[in-house]
Amino acid sequence: VFQPNTLKNEDEQARLRELTPEVIIVVAYGKLLPKAVLDIPPHGCINVHGSLLPRWRGAAPIQRAIMAGDKATGVTLMKMEAGLDTGPMILKDATDITAADTAETLTERLAQIGAGLAVRALQTPDELTITPQPEEGVTYAEKILKSESPVDWTMSAEEIDRKLRALTPFPFMTAAFNGEVFKLKAAHPVERPAEAAGAQPGEVIEAKKRLVVACGSCALECTRLQKAGKSEMPANSFLQCFPLKPGDTLS
């Protein structure tokens, strides 16, 4: 297993040539392979990509699929070429995205699927059919940035929930009150009670044993949170050390 910072380095390329590989498998490398590397193995380089191509080419296909509300995703084994995830497809396998899936749980499941596809491709190379990617349905999964962490309370509770699960375990979502930032570790959408129908996005609706915050539509119950310098804790414990009251507005 090689994890070089770059494969543009001639020394790294020489290390690969010395191995005389028949095929190179690439998983979550995050960088384009130069032609000099693509040309090393006689049977080419195969990428284990965490989406059902051509949907979600790019750096963060698992997170973007959850954010978008996709009902399913999967793994595509593809033959690598110079473009970004544009090569022809070798094998595919799908899995549902559940309402409880985070980027962490979905990555674990897709890793198992991808490993199985890679072994199958290597065991039965003569039975494989290589199919060009269709031009329709191409989307790009941009890299996840820390700047995406702050909650936008004007979004619907469902959208915030999806984004929170997509940003777990990195970089998580954050909210703030009076300038103090804390992390949201787990949450789920709830109906907004009738008495809070006029609550503005980010306004705390309930802050006793539960922490419920108004969103652009419906509300979000924040069940696990983490104050700076503290361990993750359930909402009732968090509220004891981070006192909030109905009417307070989170940013």
Side-chain angles (χ1 to χ4, degrees):
V1 176
F2 288 87
Q3 295 179 295
N5 291 325
T6 178
L7 276 170
K8 294 180 180 178
N9 184 300
E10 289 185 7
D11 290 340
E12 293 290 355
Q13 293 177 15
R15 288 175 71 199
L16 287 174
R17 285 194 191 93
E18 287 170 9
L19 293 170
T20 60
E22 293 179 61
V23 65
I24 292 175
I25 306 289
V26 180
V27 184
Y29 183 51
K31 298 176 179 68
L32 290 174
L33 268 59
K35 188 174 186 302
V37 173
L38 293 174
D39 290 344
I40 290 172
H43 295 284
C45 298
I46 294 175
N47 185 22
V48 184
H49 184 77
S51 81
L52 298 174
L53 291 171
R55 185 164 176 78
W56 301 127
R57 295 175 179 174
I62 298 170
Q63 294 92 332
R64 298 303 177 191
I66 295 173
M67 276 190 205
D70 290 3
K71 300 301 182 186
T73 187
V75 174
T76 304
L77 241 60
M78 52 162 279
K79 196 156 187 177
M80 298 181 74
E81 55 183 32
L84 178 63
D85 301 329
T86 57
M89 303 176 294
I90 301 168
L91 290 170
K92 275 187 178 183
D93 198 4
T95 183
D96 291 338
I97 299 177
T98 72
D101 266 326
T102 64
E104 183 174 35
T105 62
L106 190 52
T107 297
E108 289 172 357
R109 198 155 70 251
L110 292 175
Q112 295 300 316
I113 293 171
L117 290 182
V119 170
R120 181 177 151 198
L122 295 173
Q123 286 177 332
T124 58
D126 296 334
E127 298 175 14
L128 301 175
T129 302
I130 296 177
T131 308
Q133 290 189 41
E135 294 299 322
E136 268 185 61
V138 174
T139 58
Y140 288 92
E142 299 293 337
K143 182 179 178 181
I144 295 294
L145 303 175
K146 284 188 177 180
S147 57
E148 298 180 67
S149 288
V151 180
D152 177 0
W153 295 106
T154 64
M155 295 168 64
S156 71
E158 183 181 348
E159 289 173 317
I160 295 172
D161 168 60
R162 293 201 307 256
K163 189 172 180 182
L164 172 59
R165 291 186 288 112
L167 298 183
T168 301
F170 175 85
F172 287 109
M173 290 195 82
T174 60
F177 180 69
N178 286 342
E180 189 170 353
V181 178
F182 55 92
K183 290 180 180 178
L184 300 182
K185 290 298 194 78
H188 59 264
V190 292
E191 289 298 323
R192 191 185 294 200
E195 61 271 20
Q200 296 301 303
E203 185 176 332
V204 175
I205 296 172
E206 187 177 335
K208 253 187 183 176
K209 293 182 179 179
R210 303 196 310 160
L211 176 58
V212 181
V213 185
C215 302
S217 66
C218 296
L220 193 74
E221 181 179 353
C222 307
T223 55
R224 298 195 68 81
L225 307 99
Q226 185 176 15
K227 187 178 177 181
K230 300 288 185 181
S231 300
E232 177 183 333
M233 59 188 82
N236 58 346
S237 300
F238 176 81
L239 290 168
Q240 290 174 17
C241 65
F242 200 109
L244 291 167
K245 62 183 185 302
D248 288 341
T249 300
L250 305 181
S251 57

